[in-house]
Structure formats: structure tokens, C-alpha cells
Amino acid sequence: MPGQRKRKSGQRAVGHTTPRTGRWEVLFETRDESEWHDHLRRLRAGPERIDWTSTRVDVLCGRLERATTYRLSRFVPDSAPDFAPGGGPGSAHGRSTGPEHG
């Protein structure tokens, strides 16, 4: 397909260079496409700036049995482990141990 190499190399450049651990936090989810577009429009026009490089858009196609679901998530990295005064690693409080999304 023409232009595929260029598109794929651009996708690699946009991604994070180092793998990180964390979880995906769902920010918004709906089955109504017009509500989905309205929400994205408000996010883009709002005063808060969103780091779009750490967001993920999922369109879950339901086909006949379920309606299509639109989901916006953001990546929340795990916090760095706490270190005890002796220099050794202490307990890592606040780390997510639940199931990950996606």
C-alpha cells in the first residue's frame, strides 16, 4: 500500500521510547457517537491541556449483539518505589495491584 512505510515510521516516532509500567484509567465511555464527538470537542476547546501522547481511544465494535462503545483512557504510570533511609528499597505504597485495562 503506498505511503505505509512513512506512516508506520511516524507511528514509531510518536510512541514512548522507554517502556513504562502502569495502568490505563478510563476517563470517558459512552455508546452514543454524538456524545462521544461532543466530549472530544469540549476537551480540545477547554482551558485544560491534555497530553494526547498518553491517551488511548478504543472503539469497541459490538456488531449485532451490542452497541459500539467509545472509550477514552489515559496512561497512569506506576509511582517510583520508595527508598528506606538505609538506601535499600522500602515498601512500594500506592502501586496498583488490580487488573489492568486493555
Side-chain angles (χ1 to χ4, degrees):
M1 175 179 277
Q4 187 172 2
R5 181 182 308 158
K6 186 176 183 180
R7 184 173 57 248
K8 284 187 177 186
S9 66
Q11 289 172 349
R12 280 191 294 263
V14 171
H16 298 287
T17 57
T18 58
R20 300 184 300 176
T21 59
R23 61 185 171 79
W24 288 97
E25 178 181 89
V26 176
L27 299 175
F28 182 75
E29 186 174 56
T30 185
R31 291 185 175 168
D32 183 5
E33 187 175 3
S34 62
E35 183 181 5
W36 169 251
H37 289 293
D38 289 341
H39 184 74
L40 290 178
R41 196 173 299 117
R42 284 191 306 270
L43 284 176
R44 290 182 185 124
E48 281 188 34
R49 289 289 153 221
I50 295 175
D51 180 13
W52 291 102
T53 62
S54 65
T55 58
R56 181 176 77 183
V57 173
D58 295 314
V59 179
L60 308 171
C61 299
R63 306 214 182 234
L64 298 174
E65 298 163 4
R66 297 183 184 171
T68 299
T69 302
Y70 304 90
R71 182 185 299 158
L72 178 67
S73 305
R74 74 176 171 136
F75 185 77
V76 179
D78 285 340
S79 60
D82 296 334
F83 288 97
S91 63
H93 295 290
R95 285 198 167 210
S96 173
T97 57
E100 295 204 12
H101 296 280

